Amino acid sequence: MASRFPLRSPGFLGAVALANAGGVIAYLPLLTLLLPLKVEGLSGEARIGVFTATVFAGAIAASISNVLFGWLSDRSVARGGGRRAWMAGGVAATAASYGGLIVAATPLALVAALVAFQIAVNALLAPMVAIMAEEVPDAQKGVAGGLFALGGPLASIVSTVLVGQATLTEAARFAILPAAVAACIAPLLLARARIAVADRDPRGDVRASRRDLIVAGVARLFVQIAGVVTQTYLLYYFESIVPAAERAGLPGRIGHLLTIAFIVPLPAALILGRLSDLTRRRKPAILLAALIAAAGLAGMALARGWPAGAAAFVVYTLGSSVFVALNAGVAMQLLPNPRHRGRDLGLLNLANTLPSLLGPPLAWVFATPHDFVGVMLALAVLAVGGGLTMLCVRTER
């Protein structure tokens, strides 16, 4: 059945993609490079334990706050308001939270600062994702999901700039982030709200959609556990396979690698997203993406130097990025109740935040500062499980 809602303009889809990139910039450079470097400076050989505790506490805060702010934005919509005021407040709170990260001088203070950051950034992300779900028509959610893959490359470019400029102080690096986030969020924040999706009916379809939304969330959870471990422990992973004599400038090289790794999936995500819009068959592409991610993780487990590890990471990121982008498009179509989009997306976001609770303990059990083989193989199994789980979604092909 053709949608009764007109398609959105390329400009609006561009604003959605840029806002998503702003959300990624808000957390990716911090969690992949700036935070590990700060933890390493504070804790030395105890870095994996301290880093695990920091990420674990932040994930709890993120899980609760995303649901909370999604629900609060739902209430604003129900009262005739909108979600954009919550987004604006989230941008301001995120900027302020970087200050706490700058002044944190002990492991305990750093944990508290990251908890405050996670609360602030989810005040931005929760209403923003709900806006994307309700203002992008279902007929364009595949290509919109493909555009979400743009967030990784832009965030990794910011990361590269931050760690590649030796003249930048820590305070300067943390000051650049909120400015970049605000610039990316502004176009969507200023765009006029317009609902572009229909209410679900009848009740039986709502029940089926709710079940399938849970299944899609579980599939995303499996793959995102791998994402959390590979991104947050990436610096430590490469330190485990690169000889000490070759580690000079390693953070900068990782920044460049992240840029390449996140650019590579863009064409595939956009093409597969568009094809899925046209054919309404999304699951085969999602399964293929999960298998590619698993192959990359297996390659990371077997790598014994920078070239092999970097190549395997690019393969993993190709599969993972496409999986997450297309999974997001499917999930947005499955939201069962228009009155609770923000809340339901917050619950679905547990598939993004729970991995930060599950992934670090997994790394702590299977990894050491000098050996990540076991954890990478475990993550490969989880990635395959995520692809197979998506086949259980019934209301989307």
Side-chain angles (χ1 to χ4, degrees):
M1 181 183 296
S3 172
R4 61 185 175 89
F5 294 97
L7 298 180
R8 301 306 299 263
S9 69
F12 179 78
L13 294 180
V16 167
L18 191 60
N20 178 72
V24 178
I25 289 170
Y27 64 82
L28 186 67
L30 171 67
L31 297 181
T32 56
L33 287 175
L34 298 183
L35 184 62
L37 287 171
K38 192 171 183 76
V39 168
E40 192 167 39
L42 290 175
S43 307
E45 282 297 311
R47 60 188 180 273
I48 288 186
V50 172
F51 191 67
T52 297
T54 304
V55 173
F56 193 86
I60 293 174
S63 300
I64 296 171
S65 57
N66 196 278
V67 176
L68 173 63
F69 287 111
W71 173 73
L72 289 172
S73 72
D74 285 338
R75 288 180 62 85
S76 293
V77 171
R79 293 173 177 174
R83 305 185 194 271
R84 282 170 170 78
W86 289 102
M87 278 182 61
V91 171
T94 300
S97 72
Y98 288 123
L101 291 163
I102 293 172
V103 301
T106 66
L108 184 60
L110 189 59
V111 170
L114 189 69
V115 166
F117 163 78
Q118 288 285 18
I119 293 171
V121 78
N122 280 281
L124 161 65
L125 296 176
M128 183 180 75
V129 174
I131 287 172
M132 295 172 179
E134 63 194 10
E135 296 188 18
V136 175
D138 286 349
Q140 290 178 295
K141 284 204 164 66
V143 70
L147 286 170
F148 289 170
L150 180 66
L154 290 181
S156 63
I157 289 171
V158 173
S159 299
T160 302
V161 170
L162 293 179
V163 300
Q165 298 297 320
T167 57
L168 286 177
T169 64
E170 181 181 72
R173 288 168 177 164
F174 279 104
I176 289 171
L177 283 175
V181 171
C184 292
I185 297 293
L188 181 63
L189 198 59
L190 297 174
R192 184 177 179 181
R194 192 183 88 191
I195 302 299
V197 293
D199 295 352
R200 288 195 172 272
D201 190 58
R203 183 172 300 177
D205 289 338
V206 171
R207 288 195 298 269
S209 294
R210 184 175 291 114
R211 173 207 170 270
D212 282 345
L213 186 63
I214 293 171
V215 171
V218 171
R220 188 183 186 96
L221 173 68
F222 289 155
V223 174
Q224 288 291 69
I225 290 174
V228 163
V229 174
T230 54
Q231 290 182 11
T232 56
Y233 291 88
L234 191 61
L235 175 63
Y236 303 156
Y237 163 76
F238 277 110
E239 286 179 345
S240 75
I241 65 170
V242 174
E246 301 175 14
R247 291 178 192 168
L250 188 59
R253 280 192 283 167
I254 291 174
H256 289 294
L257 174 64
L258 285 169
T259 302
I260 295 170
F262 285 125
I263 287 175
V264 168
L266 273 175
L270 288 170
I271 291 170
L272 290 174
R274 180 57 180 157
L275 286 175
S276 71
D277 282 338
L278 295 174
T279 64
R280 297 293 181 183
R281 293 183 61 85
R282 307 188 194 276
K283 291 191 291 186
I286 292 175
L287 175 60
L288 176 62
L291 295 176
I292 292 172
L297 290 165
M300 291 178 72
L302 299 174
R304 291 296 178 268
W306 171 265
F313 178 72
V314 170
V315 173
Y316 158 72
T317 307
L318 168 63
S320 176
S321 297
V322 173
F323 178 96
V324 171
L326 297 184
N327 175 277
V330 170
M332 287 183 180
Q333 287 185 245
L334 295 173
L335 294 172
N337 192 329
R339 293 175 297 173
H340 301 299
R341 286 192 182 101
R343 182 205 65 187
D344 289 344
L345 283 166
L347 293 171
L348 180 66
N349 188 62
L350 293 175
N352 297 325
T353 56
L354 286 180
S356 294
L357 299 177
L358 303 174
L362 190 69
W364 185 77
V365 170
F366 288 102
T368 72
H370 310 291
D371 185 1
F372 277 75
V373 174
V375 72
M376 290 301 169
L377 292 177
L379 296 178
V381 173
L382 286 176
V384 173
L388 295 176
T389 301
M390 278 300 296
L391 299 181
C392 299
V393 173
R394 296 175 183 173
T395 54
E396 293 290 330
R397 292 184 292 168

